[in-house]
Amino acid sequence: MAERSFAREVEQLRVPAGTTFRGEGILAVTKALLEAGVGYVTGYQGSPISHLMDVLSDAQPLLEEMGVYFEPAASEAGAAAALSASVHYPVRGAVTWKSTVGTNVASDALANLASGGVTGGALVIVGEDYGEGSSIMQERTHGFAMKSQMWLLDPRPNLPCIVKAVHDGFELSEASNTPVFLQLRIRSCHLHGSFVTAENRRPRYSLKEALEHPRRDLDRIVLPPASFLHEREKVQRRWPAAIGFIQERGLNEFFDGDLGHLGVIVPGGLYNNTLRALQRLGLADLWGNSRVPLYVLNVVYPLVDEEVLRFCRGKRAVCLVEEGQPDYLEQNLNTILRRNEVQVALHGKDLLPLSGDYTVAVVEQGLRGFLERHHPAAFAAEVPLGLPRRANGAAELAPASAAAAGAADWSLLPQRPPGLCVGCPERPIFSSFKLVERELGEHHVSADIGCHLFSIMPPFSIGATTMGYGLGASSASAFNAGKLLGAGKRAVAFMGDGGFWHNGLASGIGNAVFNRHDNVFVIVDNNYSAATGGQDIPSSRADNPHRSTMHAIEQAVRGVGVTWVRTVERTYDVARMREVLHEALSTDYAGPKVIIAQSECMLNRQRRERPRKAAAIREGRRELRERFGVDAAVCSGDHACMRVSGCPSLTLAPSGDALKPDPVARVDEQCVACGHCGEAADAAVLCPSFYKAHKVHNPGAWEAAWQRAQAAAIGWLQRRARARRSRLALYPATLPSGVAR
């Protein structure tokens, strides 16, 4: 199950032309695709475009009505290769994936697509996941666009601009016979707004027509001699066609201001932050009017020389707001200006950070430096105005500015490293592994992309490398040399079920069989692609009406030649998990050893179970809820439960006993009663300080009567104990020998 259903929202996709459409950015993209007459859509989920795949999946009935084919691809490479349908046929196709990691996977297909060019519009929607909140390496799509000469759109982050960019992207692609990137940043994908709709259009040329009337153009096929002509065609025909289209349609935007001797050049995706920074500097208003002229690059590649020169001529200085490194735009702008002998001062990375998020505060600081250098009149002289405060009993004046008070000490802020969710079924896998390592010693561990990558963080601190999605098994390949060199330990590789089907089966497990690896491979089977939002994959247990599921991972690995396979059906069984890992690391069997660790993603399970239970309670039906607790009187305070499991629901609390000064473990309200903490606390034997409580909602008559009887018995025993303590309190501290209390 996907983490979110868009079944209700997708009904908006049917609204007639002229309707004001309100919703999320990704929903607007889907509507724009339908309005543009797209013929087929595919892609691979990943932040921040995961929900786009979910919207398309929920909208499948409408897509079928419109004659639009949709499928979730096995990988980004498969999605990119599907765009070959637009090479010979005038059918529009769109694919989507997560930023540079997806583009890297798809690079072979994309490079071939860009070389031969396309006939129909080919649009690649990439979720540009850059900055501190990203889960990937800090790279940008811009570099690949330049390398393969694919045009790159970066629209202003509002729904009308995003929808327009989808339409423009298809038309630009067809006008220049070149595939086009549409870059959507995290904020663009999830912002809410409105736009006026156009009519949904059926594909003007369908896949059915392509199948019935096949075409073949040798000049579009990437083979000599045509491949030698493609580069010349890119420069001599496609590039000028793209430049002409960008200018004719006015894809880039100019905003005038009264400070005509200055200018700011900004990619569309950073427009909102830049405008907000200017507003904070008193040079723009809430309605988007700026005193500093702006040149907004909704197309960041290619740059249009004529537009750049027109904007920069006659200005004293221009500031470029370009997030990330390398500074592709700044280099390009400098080349254009110097070749044409335009002597304007161009600022960029000299005033703004070389890397990192360009937040409003960051952009404001850079623009302030730019304005102080070239237009100091924009800032009135500061008048110190101290506010009284008390320190050490005497009145003082507070500093007039933050600068006077000194820089903030960011080291005081606590770090928030990523971690596994409460009750995550992957946590006991790593707890078991740590328990095995206590006996067998540390092992080299190759990690993979997915939730299991969090095992590299405390308290587990395992995992030495991560080389790409589904490449965990391949990452351990070199360590197979250990058996040739007489090493006494085996390498271990982890990967998830999503990574397994994405890339791991062939490049990892198949390669291990072929090369007779002696390593251990742990495949974490969550029942679906949990890390990207719960989408179905071939091994999912869901009965999907549009996809073929329930293909066991064990059958797949045996199918490529693995003979040593163990399946643990419940990862919370720490004793069993530990036993299997120990066997794999110590067995005499020489060959790849695969452990399939199965348990459903707890986060998705709770998304499904909590609404169901809440509805049952409201309707008066019996419902049982479970959770764990810690008996403070029994807890020894060694905190092994935290050291080995690291569950966020475990915290510290005072023992309540003056003779036990150390804090004891406590389970907070997040607990989902998985039981892992108690099992892992004492080498996979249930810690006696943990107890399991059952809370019954809407109990039956017998249960209610039994509860009353239990409460009465316990109450009687408690009153008896209190009375005994009261009697003892009446006796002196010491009694004569032989006198019993």
Side-chain angles (χ1 to χ4, degrees), residues 145-191:
M146 295 171 63
K147 186 271 294 183
S148 289
Q149 195 166 304
M150 294 174 60
W151 319 135
L152 178 59
L153 307 185
D154 187 11
R156 288 194 287 140
N158 62 68
L159 295 199
C161 288
I162 292 171
V163 170
K164 182 178 183 295
V166 173
H167 290 272
D168 291 339
F170 280 122
E171 295 182 28
L172 174 60
S173 175
E174 291 164 348
S176 60
N177 299 116
T178 304
V180 172
F181 281 115
L182 172 58
Q183 176 178 280
L184 293 178
R185 299 160 190 263
I186 295 176
R187 296 175 183 87
S188 299
C189 286
H190 300 301
L191 63 82

Side-chain angles (χ1 to χ4, degrees), residues 408-432:
D409 187 0
W410 297 107
S411 64
L412 298 177
L413 294 176
Q415 291 187 352
R416 296 186 62 189
L420 300 170
C421 300
V422 174
C424 177
E426 299 181 15
R427 196 183 304 278
I429 301 173
F430 305 120
S431 295
S432 303

Side-chain angles (χ1 to χ4, degrees), residues 387-402:
L387 298 177
R389 71 179 182 188
R390 290 193 173 274
N392 301 323
E396 294 182 346
L397 285 180
S401 66

